[in-house]
Amino acid sequence: MKIIVPMAGRGSRLRPHTLTVPKPLIPIAGKPIVHRLVEDIAGVINQDIEEIAFIIHESFGKQVESDLIAIAEKLGSKGTIYYQNEALGTAHAIMCAKESMSGPIVVAYADTLFRADFTLDTTADSVIWVKQVEDPSAFGVVQLNDNNQIVDFVEKPKEFVSDLAIIGIYYFKSGETLRAELQYLLDNNVVKGGEYQLTDGLENMKQKGLKFVPGKVDEWMDCGNKDVTVETNSRMLNFLEKDGENLVSDTVRLENSTIIPPCFIGDDVILINSTVGPNVSLGKATHLTNTKIKNSLVQTHAHIKNANLDNAMIGNHASFNGEFTNVSIGDYSVLE
């Protein structure tokens, strides 16, 4: 099994945090989004992961490439880097990794997290991960027949046709078949809105009689902007606590401070006269003094004092001193 992860965009809706760190590497409960994503996929498919192919923009730099390779290796996989330097659509992005598209593959967009408990139907030609939603008009959805097979893909339906939204994770029994269909789109300039779309390839496969079935997830968590990323961090912390994970490092230094779970507290964090939690992630070597913080995500090496924070997201090496309550400041920012 191979996993293809398109992640060329930095994430403009999550600025300023993504100016220096691409969105898929933003930590959720102490671990990068893309790391949690591929771990969760590995758990659902219950197969060895031979290779993880990451499709990035060349401007991400060598350190990001090294970090991604390390994520793959932690899962016992080979990590491969491909580049998409021009935003030409989902099908084009996937085809940047065409050399890795062989055998069974999973394609997963790296800005979403999920929780699921289902058995992957490996007899199907494709499984499309979906989640039941209240407002289908905001999503691409699938329609099912009486045999629980997908018979249609509808993008943002104005009238109700289905409430099963496509979350951006797909299984294909044959990577070669998907590659051939997407190559057809590129060769014949089949575009919508100036971009090559994966759904056009899926439609062609369906018309040829390939069997598509849904994989329904219990939870679907977005990381598109600051507010939903903070909410996703909170939800993930609650899931991990229920799973029995130890989220607080042994190297945390507490001085007259309290941690209200669930919280992720990284290595070498110092808490002085502070109350942390619930639903807070503090990255490595962060220092808090005279601070109350809840429902927030703080990355590494941040220094925060005299603060009362709720729904905050603070970047690496940031320095914050004040009474602001709802903030979003990026790496190396300073508020005095």
Side-chain angles (χ1 to χ4, degrees):
M1 177 72 69
K2 299 178 180 179
I3 301 177
I4 311 294
V5 187
M7 49 179 290
R10 276 193 172 271
S12 59
R13 291 187 298 147
L14 201 51
R15 291 174 180 166
H17 305 283
T18 52
L19 292 174
T20 53
V21 179
K23 180 168 65 174
L25 291 178
I26 295 288
I28 296 294
K31 191 176 292 184
I33 294 168
V34 67
H35 194 167
R36 291 204 175 279
L37 174 65
V38 294
E39 276 187 344
D40 289 344
I41 292 170
V44 167
I45 64 177
N46 196 28
Q47 297 183 32
D48 290 336
I49 308 300
E50 172 189 346
E51 179 184 6
I52 304 175
F54 301 98
I55 302 153
I56 67 173
H57 195 282
E58 205 164 3
S59 66
F60 282 15
K62 294 302 178 183
Q63 184 58 54
V64 167
E65 294 181 22
S66 297
D67 292 344
L68 291 171
I69 296 297
I71 288 172
E73 291 176 347
K74 285 180 182 177
L75 292 170
S77 307
K78 172 189 174 183
T80 309
I81 303 295
Y82 295 97
Y83 302 112
Q84 185 196 30
N85 290 329
E86 191 175 1
L88 293 177
T90 52
H92 177 267
I94 295 165
M95 284 297 286
C96 290
K98 62 183 179 182
E99 293 176 11
S100 295
M101 294 171 65
S102 60
I105 65 171
V106 170
V107 174
Y109 296 102
D111 59 355
T112 189
L113 293 171
F114 69 96
R115 302 283 282 187
D117 183 16
F118 68 88
T119 301
L120 187 71
D121 183 358
T122 54
T123 66
D125 296 298
S126 176
V127 179
I128 298 179
W129 272 252
V130 297
K131 175 71 173 73
Q132 194 169 24
V133 295
E134 292 184 3
D135 181 15
S137 66
F139 304 96
V141 301
V142 300
Q143 283 185 287
L144 307 180
N145 63 14
D146 293 338
N147 295 320
N148 198 45
Q149 293 184 15
I150 296 171
V151 294
D152 202 5
F153 310 100
V154 184
E155 184 64 29
K156 297 181 179 178
K158 294 181 179 179
E159 296 181 0
F160 182 87
V161 295
S162 169
D163 60 1
L164 295 177
I166 300 170
I167 73 169
I169 306 174
Y170 311 80
Y171 162 81
F172 298 94
K173 185 163 62 176
S174 169
E176 292 89 348
T177 298
L178 176 65
R179 183 176 63 195
E181 292 296 340
L182 299 187
Q183 188 64 55
Y184 174 86
L185 301 182
L186 271 61
D187 290 344
N188 292 275
N189 199 35
V190 179
V191 297
K192 287 183 180 176
E195 295 185 340
Y196 302 95
Q197 300 296 346
L198 172 61
T199 48
D200 289 329
L202 300 182
E203 180 63 30
N204 291 343
M205 294 166 70
K206 180 172 66 67
Q207 294 294 336
K208 293 178 179 178
L210 275 69
K211 177 186 174 185
F212 288 77
V213 299
K216 296 182 181 179
V217 302
D218 303 313
E219 299 285 346
W220 177 24
M221 294 163 280
D222 188 19
C223 300
N225 59 43
K226 171 252 178 179
D227 285 339
V228 297
T229 301
V230 171
E231 180 186 356
T232 290
N233 180 70
S234 296
R235 291 170 67 187
M236 184 60 68
L237 287 170
N238 280 270
F239 292 138
L240 296 175
E241 184 184 42
K242 289 177 182 177
D243 291 344
E245 287 200 26
N246 179 23
L247 299 173
V248 179
S249 170
D250 294 335
T251 61
V252 174
R253 194 175 103 199
L254 287 161
E255 295 183 16
N256 191 34
S257 295
T258 302
I259 298 172
I260 304 172
C263 289
F264 169 83
I265 312 292
D267 291 339
D268 303 320
V269 168
I270 297 176
L271 305 177
I272 301 173
N273 299 324
S274 295
T275 300
V276 177
N279 305 320
V280 172
S281 288
L282 300 179
K284 179 179 179 180
T286 287
H287 293 193
L288 267 61
T289 304
N290 300 324
T291 290
K292 293 182 179 180
I293 183 170
K294 61 183 179 180
N295 307 313
S296 296
L297 195 166
V298 180
Q299 297 187 50
T300 65
H301 299 88
H303 286 247
I304 302 170
K305 60 184 178 180
N306 306 321
N308 187 359
L309 298 173
D310 185 6
N311 190 39
M313 186 169 177
I314 296 177
N316 299 288
H317 299 273
S319 176
F320 179 81
N321 181 3
E323 299 297 334
F324 302 99
T325 59
N326 186 330
V327 301
S328 182
I329 59 177
D331 296 359
Y332 296 96
S333 300
V334 178
L335 293 178
E336 297 289 359

